[in-house]
Amino acid sequence: MLSMGGDQVEEAAAHAAKVLRTAVGRDWSVKAAGLDGSCLKTAEHVAGCLVAYAGQLTGRATDTWVPFEIAFDEGSGPGDAISVIESTAGLLSAVVRTTPPGVRGFHPYPSGSADAVGFAAMGVAELLLHTYDIAQALGVDAQPPADLCEAVLARIFPQVTPARAPEDQWATLLWATGRVSLAGRPKVESWRWHNALWVPAGRLVLREVSPAAAADLAAGGTGGLTWIEGGPYEGTRRAAEMVTKAYASGVHRPEWGMFALVRAEDEVAVGGMGFHGPPDEEGVAEVGYDLAPAARGRGYASEALASLSAWALPRPGVSALLALIEPENTPSQAVATRAGYTRTPDRENLHAYLRKA
């Protein structure tokens, strides 16, 4: 799996420090490339982001930013700035490593919160991208490790078609953030990264599975989750494979892929649920779900499907949700009925259940 956590924050910080130290003797009062602030001010911004991300997690912020920020001491120079970046990156990496899996902190994009992995990915992005901005202005090279770029893209840029070759990962990240043009891709005028969505569902939380986690699940891994005995089951792995293929081909759409069903009480994953893609031209999105055998018969799937449906149906462009179920799979049919779906004419020898907006 393309890992993202404290180790990656430290790796990105080491890269930033190495690059920036080659330019310590240059004029950091000039504007960073593509930005309004100076190189020194941009370095201060990076440090501020890193410590703010740590603060969001340790403060357990739920609806706004924790109201503090940092500033360099008066008279600080480039060497001081690099030291502060290293120090604040160390704070973020330590917090990421020690934050429990179920903890989220406030972040506005896109749904108001992010977990430790999300804040780690954002921290790595801040380090790589703004080091590039400073390096461009000061005339030094800033090529980072390809695996860091790939991990950032697969975690918080799931809407971006991934690069096929390792050497193209950095250019793709720069393109995705509007910094460069790439042949065959339209110019990016505005952008935002995407933190995985979490949907409360009674005893469960539906956690959006990133392309990086989906690839690990499809390959036989855990996707970074702790699973109930017998999980993840075969349907969950097939769904993860669908996400992986959609991402690789550039048709994956955030929030319209796969969610892991995680028990709120103990952080144990019990199954998977989600969509076979975004709504079609008629506004219909197909849903699917799968529980590990040890989790069945407890009402988990009904709770989760009702909650996911309640989240999806008010979304723009959605007219209905569709579940297609094998005729012999009466437990899944009962799940759909309990979640508010109504039987409609069969489709391709499958029982069809529909819930309208």
Side-chain angles (χ1 to χ4, degrees):
M1 181 169 64
L2 293 169
S3 298
M4 180 56 66
D7 288 350
Q8 286 67 42
V9 173
E10 290 185 351
E11 184 181 0
H15 159 76
K18 181 179 179 180
V19 169
L20 297 178
R21 284 200 170 96
T22 66
V24 163
R26 304 193 184 190
D27 182 7
W28 285 48
S29 68
V30 301
K31 284 187 177 181
L35 304 177
D36 292 332
S38 69
C39 292
L40 193 63
K41 198 68 178 176
T42 300
E44 185 179 65
H45 167 77
V46 172
C49 287
L50 298 175
V51 76
Y53 294 164
Q56 292 303 98
L57 288 170
T58 56
R60 308 295 195 259
T62 58
D63 55 6
T64 189
W65 291 102
V66 176
F68 76 100
E69 56 185 45
I70 68 168
F72 293 162
D73 287 346
E74 186 176 352
S76 295
D80 303 311
I82 296 167
S83 295
V84 176
I85 287 174
E86 290 177 310
S87 297
T88 51
L91 291 173
L92 178 58
S93 66
V95 168
V96 166
R97 288 192 179 100
T98 56
T99 298
V103 170
R104 288 172 77 85
F106 172 80
H107 192 281
Y109 306 144
S111 56
S113 66
D115 61 4
V117 170
F119 278 111
M122 290 186 285
V124 171
E126 298 281 1
L127 284 159
L128 300 186
L129 293 168
H130 288 313
T131 294
Y132 168 84
D133 298 333
I134 296 170
Q136 283 287 102
L138 300 180
V140 297
D141 180 60
Q143 179 87 21
D147 60 341
L148 278 182
C149 304
E150 186 178 10
V152 168
L153 286 164
R155 289 288 180 181
I156 57 174
F157 290 93
Q159 73 279 14
V160 172
T161 304
R164 297 191 180 278
E167 61 270 20
D168 296 331
Q169 301 293 345
W170 177 223
T172 301
L173 181 57
L174 292 175
W175 169 82
T177 56
R179 285 169 166 80
V180 301
S181 297
L182 280 183
R185 300 201 189 204
K187 181 174 175 57
V188 174
E189 300 292 348
S190 63
W191 60 274
R192 285 181 177 176
W193 48 49
H194 176 89
N195 282 298
L197 175 69
W198 286 23
V199 179
R203 294 168 293 168
L204 305 175
V205 177
L206 290 92
R207 298 187 184 175
E208 184 180 9
V209 175
S210 70
D216 185 60
L217 281 167
T222 66
L225 298 165
T226 300
W227 286 87
I228 195 170
E229 182 181 357
Y233 203 55
E234 56 189 32
T236 297
R237 294 205 187 277
R238 286 197 301 268
E241 186 176 356
M242 289 174 60
V243 171
T244 302
K245 290 180 177 178
Y247 175 63
S249 60
V251 299
H252 175 67
R253 294 295 174 264
E255 302 179 354
W256 294 103
M258 174 186 173
F259 293 77
L261 308 183
V262 180
R263 287 195 307 225
E265 64 176 359
D266 59 6
E267 290 295 312
V268 171
V270 298
M273 180 173 290
F275 306 97
H276 293 185
D280 62 20
E281 62 275 5
E282 295 179 353
V284 179
E286 185 179 347
V287 298
Y289 41 91
D290 177 70
L291 289 180
R296 295 173 186 171
R298 306 182 189 185
Y300 288 146
S302 297
E303 287 181 26
L305 183 58
S307 296
L308 185 62
S309 302
W311 169 84
L313 286 168
R315 306 281 288 180
V318 178
S319 63
L321 301 178
L322 171 69
L324 297 177
I325 306 171
E326 294 84 358
E328 65 275 12
N329 193 346
T330 54
S332 287
Q333 295 167 30
V335 166
T337 300
R338 287 193 296 267
Y341 286 67
T342 302
R343 178 82 182 272
T344 63
D346 290 359
R347 305 189 185 190
E348 299 180 355
N349 299 319
L350 294 173
H351 289 187
Y353 289 80
L354 200 68
R355 179 169 166 176
K356 296 183 179 180

